[in-house]
């Protein structure tokens, strides 16, 4: 009986759905079972379970599978990658192999001949098999095998010095494919950066995921092709591959699955070669709405009120990588419209915002923050966003823009909200100008969120290690992530913000004019309801969003 009839008989598919899938099967030249999955009528596992019943084959769950390294050596990695056949274990003299294709009988016959062992197939979804292949064999393992075969035992790129040799190697199809696979894997793993670091006997490639560096799964022989990989990235970023003595910066544009990815590339000469950091800028992953940032209702209401003011300065503070620019973009997205003229001055412009006029800072041409701000005031803006206030000239320009009736949003490097006005005064701005223009300062940090797939309640033993200033509700459980494949065994997936919102009122303005210290400002602000970053963190712990360890790591007592 055909698979379509079986699925209809089992009530998994209607006749109309089967006809629609059959039309797709002909149009895209797919097998019917795959057309059903691609159309979204059934999951791959549902279809595999039906095939399993027909062929008397078990359907395996590979989510938590652990494979003995000795078993992995039985099959050549080329076969594993090309045919998606994954050896799982040896059982009673048989090799148990996971496959996503129940009709791939010839592949299994080839395995029997190649290994000299009886093969016992089990079915598993393609995504689960591919995830384990990447974890155990490494990203681009088949490409590296091909490169090793062509390069010979020593590897072609070892010791290559001339730029002509490097250019030839970097343009080989296998090198291009390998570099593309490394970048695509980083995007799929939600990485914000790729770190490529050369050492004497190895090439380390790490992905920064949710703010934490994690080693990429790559075969060890990648070290032999270090020069070719680095040269390929430099060519993609339009850099000089012959220049290996000075730092270089470039940019790459990538299209992955309909998403536009911008990659900022920084190359620095190091002891054993050139180190590269690639910042992945994915517009789809950064353009949040204000409600998605993690603000509670009170902070959101105050911030929403501030960004709707006609003039004044709003500062978002925190260290590098704390999500300040993302917050400013979310604020601009919330207020941009046909009735407002919004201009930004950024170094560099990381993401393009529809309806916002963005100006890149370029020191080489003399286009500084200060010069850009002086010029854009003649463009009659309503709202101005300055990427960062980093010196007295920029601060003065921001103050001037605010005094002339503009709303100014910017970032500042301070540890808390109360330090923002004192930092401006330290730069050389008169206190009365700070008091009359600054309307709000918000400090923020990013904490990792507990992975929803492995979220579990903490046991009583874990409570002993929590800080003394955390007082959990005895009736409300505190959660952590146990670790699973979805979160790369970290227990965390995604990040959320902690916020410390300080609204400048008359009492605080008087303290600013009197040059009060940050601790004095905090004392006054707390009497008006200021909630510190750490306190906001404990609220998110009690709500089950993050863990005490994350809050301790990101905030001070």
């Amino acid at each position: 009986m055909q698979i379509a009839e079986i699925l209809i008989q089992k009530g998994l598919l209607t006749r109309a759905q089967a006809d629609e899938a059959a039309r797709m099967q002909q149009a895209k030249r797919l097998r019917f079972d795959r057309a059903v999955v691609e159309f979204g009528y059934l999951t791959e596992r549902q279809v595999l379970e039906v095939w399993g019943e027909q062929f008397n084959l078990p359907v395996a769950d590979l989510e938590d599978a652990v494979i003995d390294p000795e078993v992995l050596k039985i099959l050549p990695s080329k076969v594993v990658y090309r045919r998606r056949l994954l050896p799982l274990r040896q059982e009673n003299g048989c090799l148990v192999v996971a496959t996503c294709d129940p009709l791939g009988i010839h592949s299994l016959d080839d395995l029997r001949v190649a290994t000299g062992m009886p093969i016992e197939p089990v079915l598993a979804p393609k995504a689960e098999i591919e995830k384990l292949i990447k974890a155990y064999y490494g990203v681009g393992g088949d490409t590296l095998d091909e490169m090793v075969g062509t390069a010979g035992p020593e590897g072609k790129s070892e010791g290559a010095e001339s730029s002509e040799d490097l250019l030839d190697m970097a343009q080989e199809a296998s090198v291009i494919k390998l570099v593309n696979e490394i970048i695509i894997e980083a995007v799929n793993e939600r990485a914000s950066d790729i770190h490529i670091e050369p050492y004497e006997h190895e090439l380390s490639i790490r992905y920064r995921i949710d703010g934490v560096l994690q080693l990429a799964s790559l075969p060890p022989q990648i070290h032999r092709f270090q020069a070719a990989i680095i040269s390929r990235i430099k060519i993609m970023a339009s850099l000089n591959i012959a220049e290996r003595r000075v730092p270089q910066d470039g940019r790459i544009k990538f299209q992955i699955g309909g998403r536009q990815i911008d990659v900022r590339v920084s190359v620095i000469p190091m002891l054993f070669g050139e180190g590269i950091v690639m910042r992945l800028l994915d517009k789809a992953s950064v353009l949040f709405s204000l409600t998605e940032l993690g603000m509670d209702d009170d902070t959101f209401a105050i911030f929403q009120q501030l960004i709707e003011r006609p003039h004044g300065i709003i500062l978002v503070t925190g260290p590098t990588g704390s999500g300040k620019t993302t917050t400013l973009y979310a604020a601009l997205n919330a207020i941009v419209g046909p009735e407002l003229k919004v201009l930004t001055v950024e170094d560099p412009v990381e993401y393009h915002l529809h309806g916002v006029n963005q100006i890149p800072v370029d020191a080489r041409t003399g286009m500084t923050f200060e010069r850009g701000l002086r010029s854009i005031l003649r463009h009659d803006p309503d709202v101005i966003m300055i990427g960062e206030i980093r010196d007295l000239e920029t601060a003065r320009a921001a103050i001037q823009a605010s005094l002339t009736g503009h709303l100014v949003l910017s970032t500042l490097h301070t540890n808390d909200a109360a330090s923002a006005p004192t930092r401006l005064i330290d730069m050389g701005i008169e206190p009365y100008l700070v008091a009359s223009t600054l309307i709000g300062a918000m400090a923020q940090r990013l904490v990792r969120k507990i992975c929803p797939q492995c979220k579990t309640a903490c046991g009583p033993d874990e409570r002993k290690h929590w800080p003394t200033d955390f007082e959990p509700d005895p009736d409300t459980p505190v959660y952590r992530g146990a670790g699973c494949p979805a979160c790369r065994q970290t227990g965390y997936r995604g990040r959320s913000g902690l916020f410390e919102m300080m609204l400048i009122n008359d009492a605080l303005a008087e303290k600013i004019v009197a040059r009060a210290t940050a601790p004095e400002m905090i004392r006054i602000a707390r009497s008006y309801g200021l909630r510190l970053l750490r306190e906001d963190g404990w609220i998110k712990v009690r709500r089950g969003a993050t863990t005490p360890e994350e809050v301790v790591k990101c905030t001070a007592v």
Side-chain angles (χ1 to χ4, degrees), residues 295-311:
M295 293 182 190
D296 66 274
D297 293 342
D298 294 340
T299 305
F300 174 75
I302 295 170
F303 193 68
Q304 183 77 35
Q305 171 201 339
L306 287 177
I307 61 176
E308 290 174 355
R309 293 259 195 107
H311 54 80

Side-chain angles (χ1 to χ4, degrees), residues 13-14 16 46 58 94 99 105 109 127 140 171 205 309 323 328 348 350 358 374 377 430 433 443 455 465 524-525:
L13 210 62
T14 66
Q46 284 176 304
C94 293
T99 177
I105 299 166
D109 288 341
Q171 291 177 335
I205 298 184
R309 293 259 195 107
L328 290 185
E350 294 188 355
Q358 296 173 274
R374 280 203 311 266
L377 287 178
E430 290 296 331
L433 288 174
K455 189 174 182 177
H465 306 292
I524 298 292

Side-chain angles (χ1 to χ4, degrees), residues 149-409:
T150 357
E154 294 304 316
K156 267 197 311 190
S157 65
E158 196 77 33
E161 290 298 328
S162 76
S163 56
E164 289 81 6
D165 287 347
L166 288 173
L167 184 61
D168 289 343
M169 284 186 294
Q171 291 177 335
E172 287 182 4
S174 52
V175 176
I176 292 170
K177 185 182 175 190
L178 178 62
V179 171
N180 288 352
E181 286 175 345
I182 290 169
I183 296 173
I184 289 167
E185 178 68 7
V187 172
N188 291 338
E189 291 289 343
R190 304 173 299 105
S192 60
D193 303 85
I194 304 172
H195 290 244
I196 301 175
E197 301 155 329
Y199 296 100
E200 188 172 6
H201 300 298
E202 66 170 317
L203 181 68
S204 167
I205 298 184
R206 296 187 289 173
Y207 298 148
R208 188 177 293 281
I209 302 170
D210 294 332
V212 178
L213 282 171
Q214 300 179 31
L215 277 170
S217 300
L218 288 159
Q221 63 262 40
I222 197 167
H223 170 66
R224 295 168 56 184
F225 303 95
Q226 170 183 317
I229 291 166
I230 289 170
S231 297
R232 172 61 193 162
I233 293 169
K234 289 170 76 173
I235 288 171
M236 292 170 74
S238 303
L239 302 178
N240 182 359
I241 64 166
E243 180 55 77
R244 284 169 265 169
R245 299 162 300 171
V246 296
Q248 297 185 68
D249 293 309
R251 205 160 190 153
I252 304 169
K253 285 197 173 181
F254 241 85
Q255 190 84 14
I256 300 176
R259 292 155 63 190
Q260 182 71 45
I261 310 291
D262 279 351
V263 185
R264 281 215 321 260
V265 181
S266 174
V267 183
I268 297 181
M270 294 184 178
L271 186 59
F272 297 106
E274 291 173 293
I276 296 182
V277 173
M278 305 167 72
R279 167 65 60 89
L280 307 178
L281 306 170
D282 181 1
K283 186 175 180 180
S285 68
V286 77
L287 293 181
F288 294 100
S289 65
L290 282 174
T291 51
E292 294 174 314
L293 297 177
M295 293 182 190
D296 66 274
D297 293 342
D298 294 340
T299 305
F300 174 75
I302 295 170
F303 193 68
Q304 183 77 35
Q305 171 201 339
L306 287 177
I307 61 176
E308 290 174 355
R309 293 259 195 107
H311 54 80
I313 297 176
I314 303 169
L315 294 177
V316 181
T317 76
T320 303
S322 58
K324 301 186 297 295
T325 305
T326 301
T327 298
L328 290 185
Y329 280 161
L332 292 181
N333 260 343
I335 59 177
V336 71
E339 69 283 356
L340 285 180
K341 170 94 169 185
V342 181
L343 281 164
T344 74
V345 186
E346 303 171 65
D347 181 20
V349 174
E350 294 188 355
Y351 301 96
H352 305 296
L353 296 172
H354 180 69
V356 176
N357 300 274
Q358 296 173 274
I359 301 166
V361 168
D362 189 349
R364 290 171 298 182
T365 61
M367 184 60 180
T368 60
F369 274 115
E370 184 196 10
R371 190 171 180 181
L373 280 168
R374 280 203 311 266
S375 302
I376 65 176
L377 287 178
R378 302 189 195 103
H379 277 242
D380 187 31
D382 297 292
V383 180
I384 299 168
M385 192 268 266
I386 305 168
E388 181 188 344
I389 294 179
R390 55 178 67 162
D391 52 36
L392 177 59
E393 288 72 23
T394 311
R396 278 180 177 154
I399 295 284
Q400 185 61 37
S402 171
L403 288 171
T404 51
H406 303 88
L407 180 67
V408 180
L409 289 79

